[in-house]
Amino acid sequence: MTIQWFPGHMAKARREVTEKLKLVDIIFELVDARIPISSANPMIDQIIQQKPRIKLLNKADMADKHMTARWIEHFENQNQHVLAIDAQTGAGLDKMIKMAESILKPKFDRMRAKGIKPRAIRAMIVGIPNVGKSTLINRLAKKNIAKTGNTPGVTKAQAWIKVGKVLELLDTPGILWPKFEDEEVGYKLALTGAIKDTILNLQDIAVYGLRFLQSNYPNVLMERYQFETIPEEIVDMFEHIGRLRGCLMAGGEINYDKTAETIIRDIRGQKLGNLTFDIDV
Ligand code: GDP
């Protein structure tokens, strides 16, 4: 699903997240480990304010491990709580729950001291489309035998998913918009599959991808497409890859659109291995 964001949708999304914030103790902010900056909502700090937050670099299984380690260090240096996870297999989720418990311990200790009955930690997941919010919710629900019940909320009843004894998760995530102002962000979102349809021109996305690989991952580019040396000119790269992969038109000319599609599919499908596209740590 790709959402076309308009000012009205953004205002509504923000309102919904702001309402639900009141119901939870902590936010799980999901981003894509391959683009931890480009996949973040540009207003996330203003929206969630002082609410405790754990930044989850999801799809860590697809990201460049070395870069993920650098990003984690970067966010930790900013005093952010951060973890790399893989919502699909569940890797990192035990750590996530432990981290939430540890962050909220002072709050829960205070509650206990006031004689308030202990309860589970309440959390919600937020993030832009396609970062893995539903996958994470399903994973947590499955792992811990989902039991949804209705607890009256501030405005309307919310369904919670019980995750073991310690955590209750809102069953619907907060969906926020991505950054639009930066063209490069658009290409990175497209290359990681966050924007699936043809909002951007296919050839432009593939050109961006090839240039990025040429500068940052030349060896994987050479290996995947059997280059002896990587051509300087993008058009020569297209020629070579198009011919290699049989993306040809009737007369034997290169079909550039088909070549672009092939390149994008290869990148999204991890055919060039684990890549990280946000590299300015
Ligand atoms: P949502 O829009 O944020 O709810 O995203 P989804 O949960 O629908 O996930 C988008 C796509 O990413 C789906 O194809 C998922 O299978 C895939 N996905 C989600 N989490 C992971 C992960 O940790 N690793 C990998 N490799 N794929 C994931």
Side-chain angles (χ1 to χ4, degrees):
M1 171 193 58
T2 300
I3 300 170
Q4 300 278 9
W5 293 94
F6 295 103
H9 298 142
M10 288 154 68
K12 183 160 178 272
R14 179 173 187 163
R15 222 162 30 238
E16 279 175 9
V17 170
T18 305
E19 264 317 305
K20 288 180 185 166
L21 269 185
K22 299 173 190 159
L23 307 174
V24 301
D25 303 299
I26 192 162
I27 300 286
F28 297 133
E29 184 208 353
L30 231 60
V31 294
D32 188 315
R34 296 168 294 175
I35 44 171
I37 303 293
S38 300
S39 61
N41 170 270
M43 294 186 73
I44 190 73
D45 292 346
Q46 289 107 298
I47 295 171
I48 72 174
Q49 308 257 342
Q50 298 307 311
K51 190 66 74 175
R53 165 182 19 164
I54 300 177
K55 194 189 276 290
L56 298 171
L57 311 187
N58 189 37
K59 310 194 190 184
D61 56 305
M62 298 179 89
D64 179 335
K65 302 252 173 323
H66 169 72
M67 288 303 297
T68 300
R70 287 187 58 191
W71 277 116
I72 287 185
E73 199 187 329
H74 165 86
F75 291 123
E76 282 175 349
N77 286 340
Q78 295 183 333
N79 289 320
Q80 295 204 54
H81 303 291
V82 60
L83 268 182
I85 65 163
D86 171 355
Q88 223 161 39
T89 64
L93 299 190
D94 288 340
K95 270 194 196 160
M96 177 189 89
I97 295 171
K98 288 221 167 64
M99 190 180 261
E101 281 185 285
S102 141
I103 293 166
L104 292 165
K105 189 171 182 299
K107 176 178 176 175
F108 279 71
D109 283 349
R110 275 197 304 277
M111 283 163 56
R112 207 168 302 118
K114 284 188 201 156
I116 298 169
K117 210 172 132 240
R119 59 165 176 82
I121 290 170
R122 292 179 189 143
M124 81 180 282
I125 292 168
V126 304
I128 68 166
N130 286 313
V131 285
K133 297 180 296 301
S134 326
T135 307
L136 178 57
I137 291 173
N138 289 337
R139 184 79 217 175
L140 287 167
K142 214 178 294 166
K143 194 168 138 195
N144 297 279
I145 308 159
K147 223 200 251 171
T148 43
N150 283 324
T151 312
V154 177
T155 48
K156 58 177 177 185
Q158 293 285 345
W160 297 86
I161 293 167
K162 286 190 199 300
V163 182
K165 282 205 175 74
V166 292
L167 185 69
E168 285 176 7
L169 192 65
L170 273 184
D171 77 336
T172 48
I175 304 170
L176 293 170
W177 61 95
K179 293 177 183 150
F180 307 109
E181 67 279 8
D182 184 342
E183 197 179 46
E184 234 178 282
V185 169
Y187 291 134
K188 291 177 184 183
L189 290 170
L191 286 173
T192 52
I195 301 176
K196 285 219 171 70
D197 49 18
T198 47
I199 293 175
L200 297 164
N201 178 289
L202 273 185
Q203 289 187 27
D204 290 346
I205 301 168
V207 167
Y208 181 87
L210 288 179
R211 286 236 165 84
F212 181 85
L213 294 168
Q214 184 181 29
S215 308
N216 299 288
Y217 295 96
N219 294 340
V220 291
L221 184 61
M222 283 180 75
E223 199 173 317
R224 175 68 190 170
Y225 298 119
Q226 301 166 24
F227 285 117
E228 280 172 18
T229 49
I230 300 175
E232 282 282 314
E233 297 292 332
I234 287 289
V235 65
D236 296 331
M237 270 197 242
F238 261 76
E239 286 283 334
H240 175 92
I241 297 169
R243 222 161 275 289
L244 179 77
R245 301 291 291 272
C247 304
L248 303 173
M249 296 191 293
E253 296 276 296
I254 299 294
N255 182 331
Y256 289 103
D257 270 340
K258 218 166 153 221
T259 307
E261 250 173 67
T262 300
I263 294 162
I264 295 167
R265 202 177 329 114
D266 280 359
I267 292 174
R268 282 185 187 162
Q270 263 186 299
K271 293 295 192 300
L272 291 108
N274 285 19
L275 304 172
T276 293
F277 296 97
D278 278 343
I279 50 165
D280 299 319
V281 184

